[in-house]
Amino acid sequence: MRLNIVCIPGDGIGPEIVSEAKKVLNRVAEKFGHEMVFTDILMGGASIDVHGVPLTDEAIATAKAADAVLMGSIGGDTNTSPWYQLPPEKRPEAGLLKIRKALNLFANLRPAVLYEELAAACPLKEEISAAGFDILIMRELTGGLYFGERKTVEENGVRKAIDTLTYDENEIRRIAIKGFDIARKRKKKLTSVDKANVLDSSRLWRAVVNEVAKEYPDVKVEHMLVDNCAMQLVKDPAQFDVVLTENMFGDILSDEASMVTGSIGMLASASLNDTKFGLYEPSHGSAPDIAGKDLANPIATILSASMMLRYSFDLDQEADAIDAAVKKVLQDGYRTGDIMSEGCKKVGCKEMGGLITERI
Ligand code: IPM
Ligand code: MG
């Protein structure tokens, strides 16, 4: 199979981790007889430095023409980087929001899994973590507060900022359908998270989710208020399977869920539209403090590449091979600094990528 993959190395540790993922993918191509063609595009600070904008129209066109996109991370230190002296629409993050919208990537899948081998890094009490957990946060990614109208005005000498939270039923329905489809392939439970005791957008969300649920009688659906969900994620994470929620709540809850696993450097993510196309990226950020020092953990990006093979190309065997190689490396006791524990062997980004590649 010929796979046309666009890569966005991006900023901070992005280039290092993407380079390790490419190494792994090239090994998969060799072993399973595929041809992978990689084309890099600039986004975020890297694009600002060259083009003055965080994402050019040409870069979007290149991404659109690909079968899938593999991204590292974008953005810099918001306190010190000159990128954050620019107006908001010219900063690195604007590139990410623009590509999500341009490619219609409305469904963001963020798995939060407790790895057996890394259970010691889980910050929860042992009696809670002992149950293990495997949560899939499904975050709506192209609507809500992120894309509503916003402005800052001055009225009678008082500055006032306005952001708007809008959802129409079609936007809710399409993500709900994806959520139920995926829940059906997992443990058949879907928790829809909203703030229906306050927000109209949440009341519509809940109503539409209930309508869609009628088509999936085999999936157990429950509704949970977002503040309660934040609490339940640390109190009893094992209760969750698929957590379906809107953009802003999903942004916050997915960070919480990933932290609760104790190994954010391990977590992949996928952003999908209504075709096979997707953008895959680690759940963590660009970690500018350790960039270029060969200290980053490339595993989340490597597992994102595995998700890409699985969801965009239906190459389950190849994806399984990557997941198994990652598991094996952990069992063999290799760790990057972020997941290091006593008795293990500490390795850098490149060595970790190499060790995984060797095991495929
Ligand atoms: C994420 C990030 C982005 C978001 C930022 C960088 C705009 O936090 O992917 O979760 O808020 O969506
Ligand atoms: Mg976030």
Side-chain angles (χ1 to χ4, degrees), residues 331-344:
Q331 282 164 353
D332 291 344
Y334 295 102
R335 304 282 189 273
T336 43
D338 57 315
I339 51 173
M340 184 60 191
S341 61
E342 236 185 88
C344 291

Side-chain angles (χ1 to χ4, degrees), residues 110 139 146 251-252 254-255:
R110 298 189 167 184
R139 166 187 178 194
Y146 275 67
D251 179 44
I252 299 167
S254 63
D255 260 31

Side-chain angles (χ1 to χ4, degrees), residues 64-232:
K64 267 191 183 160
D67 300 317
V69 179
L70 181 67
M71 188 185 131
S73 51
I74 55 126
D77 185 329
T78 50
N79 292 311
T80 57
S81 166
W83 299 329
Y84 297 93
Q85 305 298 319
L86 297 165
E89 68 282 2
K90 292 211 165 143
R91 293 179 196 168
E93 288 72 13
L96 183 57
L97 299 184
K98 193 171 167 187
I99 203 166
R100 285 175 181 168
K101 200 69 172 176
L103 303 178
N104 194 27
L105 304 171
F106 63 86
N108 182 215
L109 281 56
R110 298 189 167 184
V113 183
L114 184 69
Y115 282 84
E116 233 178 274
E117 294 83 3
L118 305 179
C122 173
L124 299 177
K125 281 192 204 141
E126 216 181 307
E127 65 247 42
I128 299 174
S129 63
F133 55 88
D134 177 356
I135 306 170
L136 181 71
I137 308 258
M138 284 211 53
R139 166 187 178 194
E140 199 291 327
L141 202 59
T142 52
L145 272 175
Y146 275 67
F147 293 94
E149 240 178 86
R150 70 180 97 256
K151 60 180 175 184
T152 305
V153 293
E154 194 166 320
E155 281 173 6
N156 307 321
V158 178
R159 285 170 300 157
K160 182 161 116 181
I162 302 157
D163 295 287
T164 41
L165 201 183
T166 314
Y167 272 107
D168 72 38
E169 60 177 306
N170 297 326
E171 292 174 294
I172 302 169
R173 192 173 299 108
R174 65 180 181 179
I175 181 97
I177 291 172
K178 268 231 193 280
F180 278 99
D181 280 342
I182 288 174
R184 195 167 247 178
K185 291 193 201 157
R186 293 174 45 104
K187 281 178 263 154
K188 297 191 168 48
K189 181 174 176 193
L190 182 142
T191 307
S192 176
V193 174
D194 61 38
K195 189 71 187 170
N197 52 350
V198 178
L199 304 175
D200 257 21
S201 55
S202 282
R203 289 187 270 269
L204 181 63
W205 182 279
R206 200 175 272 217
V208 174
V209 168
N210 278 334
E211 286 159 25
V212 174
K214 290 197 185 107
E215 308 294 321
Y216 297 83
D218 52 322
V219 177
K220 183 171 184 273
V221 60
E222 66 176 22
H223 300 277
M224 192 178 276
L225 296 173
V226 62
D227 45 354
N228 183 27
C229 182
M231 190 173 83
Q232 296 296 331

Side-chain angles (χ1 to χ4, degrees), residues 300-355:
T301 316
I302 290 168
L303 292 175
S304 301
S306 156
M307 266 182 119
M308 174 181 79
L309 296 182
R310 205 181 293 283
Y311 287 99
S312 284
F313 300 102
D314 288 317
L315 296 175
D316 286 350
Q317 231 195 334
E318 288 80 344
D320 289 345
I322 296 180
D323 297 354
V326 168
K327 212 175 163 53
K328 186 77 179 54
V329 158
L330 295 176
Q331 282 164 353
D332 291 344
Y334 295 102
R335 304 282 189 273
T336 43
D338 57 315
I339 51 173
M340 184 60 191
S341 61
E342 236 185 88
C344 291
K345 188 167 183 296
K346 196 164 164 181
V347 297
C349 180
K350 277 204 189 96
E351 191 174 356
M352 182 55 96
L355 289 164

Side-chain angles (χ1 to χ4, degrees), residues 239-255:
Q239 71 183 287
F240 296 109
D241 178 19
V242 173
V243 172
L244 176 73
T245 192
E246 64 93 53
N247 206 344
M248 185 77 184
F249 297 159
D251 179 44
I252 299 167
L253 294 177
S254 63
D255 260 31

